[in-house]
Amino acid sequence: MRPLLGVLVLVTLLSPGLACPAPCSCSTKKNGRLLAECAYRELRDVPRGLSPNVTILTLSANRLGHLGHTSLAEVPELQSLWLGYNHISLVEPGTFAGLPHLKNLDLSHNRLADFPWQDLRNLSALQILKLSNNRLAAVPRGALAGLRELRSLWLNDNELATLAHGTFEGLPALAQLQLFHNPFNCSCKLFWLKEWAHDTSVVLSRAGSTLCAAPARLRGRPVTDIPGALCVPPSAQLTYLSGPAAAGPRDGLTLTLHCSVAGSPPPEIRWQIRTAARRVDIHGPTVARDGGAKGGRQRFLAFKNGTMAIPNFGKEDEGTYTCLAVNDVGMRDVSINVALAGSANPAEELPRDDPQAGHPGGHSCAKGDELDPSGMGEKLVIVYRVSGEARSGAGAREFRLGILPLALGLLLW
């Protein structure tokens, strides 16, 4: 009788850890992990009644179509979750967020057009992530950040046309990456992937099948062979010219800056203006083709050809003027500090912000009336205010001669 009683007590003690839903079979592995095997059961939902001690859950090859945010609430100790070969088209945000010990997650061969990427923030132990053979069209910027244990990532056989720059940065353990059979558009937005693939130690599985689907001239060509001549980082050069302002109620001058850019594709020109009183960011021309100002009266006139004009330049306009050249490959910036002659300690009154901050590789310096982007440091260009008489031809010649010593002074700076 006593042996039988001991067996009953033992069964009672162990039964919570061995709870197993009827469709599944459960067992304890040699390493002590509890396996719930629920594959090939024609299941349409995650079965209820699983033991909270389950660390391996196999739900592959069922008919699951939807995962609610509470679907896996019973198994917080999961380390491996296999959900491949189902019909899953929706995974609610939060579904995986409560599984901090998860190391292996397989959702391959489903119908996912989206994924709760935010859940990955809680999965710092994740080592294998399989999302292949789905309908994913994008991986949000920074979605994989923080997965420092991730070793294998499967994104092949999806609908990815591009990937945000740096998608695979911050993954120090990554050893295998699968991207083949995606309709990549090999514009210069994807050029970073070619350079990353050449420099990384990560194995890009079936790289020869990771092909361009567009543009037409590159169709069928490996992504890792995008011609470098098609994608050239931008360069920028800034020159300035000052002259008498148009007749008006104020005597003054017009300061004209011109930003010459090069690169492929042709860079977009943007301006950043930092004065003591304001900050202005201009992301395109403020002057229309017909010469009229867009959006009403404009203080800073930015033209499509890269010219910036500031009529009636005054002390309130002193500051740092930065031209940014931006294309799909990168960005380049060049800056100049501008102040009026006669300002007390003009350099000290200028904003202390560094216009190159956040723009690696940016430079600004002056050489005569031309800024050399290969130099370092900022120079101060002093703009002379001229009187009304200087608008005559003789006055204009006097003005141009007057700026010559300044240019020579900058050459010797």
Side-chain angles (χ1 to χ4, degrees), residues 57 136 140 195-196 201 226-227 242 339 352 364:
L57 176 58
L136 298 173
E195 295 187 318
W196 178 86
S201 61
I226 300 175
S242 54
R352 293 294 88 197
S364 66

Side-chain angles (χ1 to χ4, degrees), residues 75-279:
V75 283
E77 300 298 318
L78 272 186
Q79 296 182 22
S80 297
L81 177 59
W82 310 109
L83 290 161
Y85 293 93
N86 275 281
H87 303 158
I88 301 172
S89 59
L90 175 63
V91 179
E92 292 183 3
T95 300
F96 306 119
L99 306 175
H101 308 293
L102 198 63
K103 295 181 179 179
N104 306 307
L105 176 58
D106 180 8
L107 275 160
S108 61
H109 294 274
N110 277 286
R111 301 173 182 177
L112 289 172
D114 198 7
F115 178 80
W117 300 100
Q118 62 272 31
D119 284 13
L120 296 180
R121 299 171 190 166
N122 289 16
L123 306 185
S124 58
L126 198 64
Q127 297 180 5
I128 298 175
L129 177 59
K130 296 183 178 181
L131 292 170
S132 54
N133 293 89
N134 275 284
R135 301 171 184 176
L136 298 173
V139 178
R141 187 181 299 274
L144 305 174
L147 298 180
R148 300 189 63 81
E149 302 297 323
L150 191 67
R151 294 186 288 106
S152 182
L153 176 61
W154 297 23
L155 291 170
N156 55 285
D157 293 276
N158 274 286
E159 297 179 10
L160 299 173
T162 191
L163 290 165
H165 190 286
T167 295
F168 309 118
E169 293 177 1
L171 304 175
L174 190 64
Q176 181 197 28
L177 175 63
Q178 297 189 177
L179 292 173
F180 55 87
H181 296 165
N182 275 291
F184 284 119
N185 180 351
C186 293
S187 71
C188 290
K189 290 182 179 179
L190 201 64
F191 187 71
W192 72 269
L193 182 61
K194 169 191 173 174
E195 295 187 318
W196 178 86
H198 285 172
D199 295 339
T200 187
S201 61
V202 177
V203 175
L204 189 60
S205 300
R206 295 178 62 180
S209 298
T210 307
L211 305 177
C212 303
R217 66 181 182 278
L218 297 178
R219 187 177 297 127
R221 190 165 183 166
V223 171
T224 52
D225 288 341
I226 300 175
L230 298 178
C231 303
V232 180
S235 61
Q237 186 179 65
L238 191 57
T239 56
Y240 69 89
L241 174 67
S242 54
R250 296 174 53 190
D251 289 337
L253 56 84
T254 295
L255 176 68
T256 302
L257 304 175
H258 183 72
C259 189
S260 301
V261 300
S264 181
E268 171 192 352
I269 297 175
R270 304 174 187 173
W271 292 91
Q272 290 180 347
I273 301 166
R274 302 292 183 261
T275 68
R278 60 178 164 177
R279 297 166 177 248

Side-chain angles (χ1 to χ4, degrees), residues 4-19 34 51-53:
L4 180 59
L5 183 60
V7 170
L8 290 174
V9 170
L10 183 62
V11 169
T12 302
L13 290 173
L14 293 177
S15 58
L18 295 176
L34 187 60
S51 166
N53 297 327

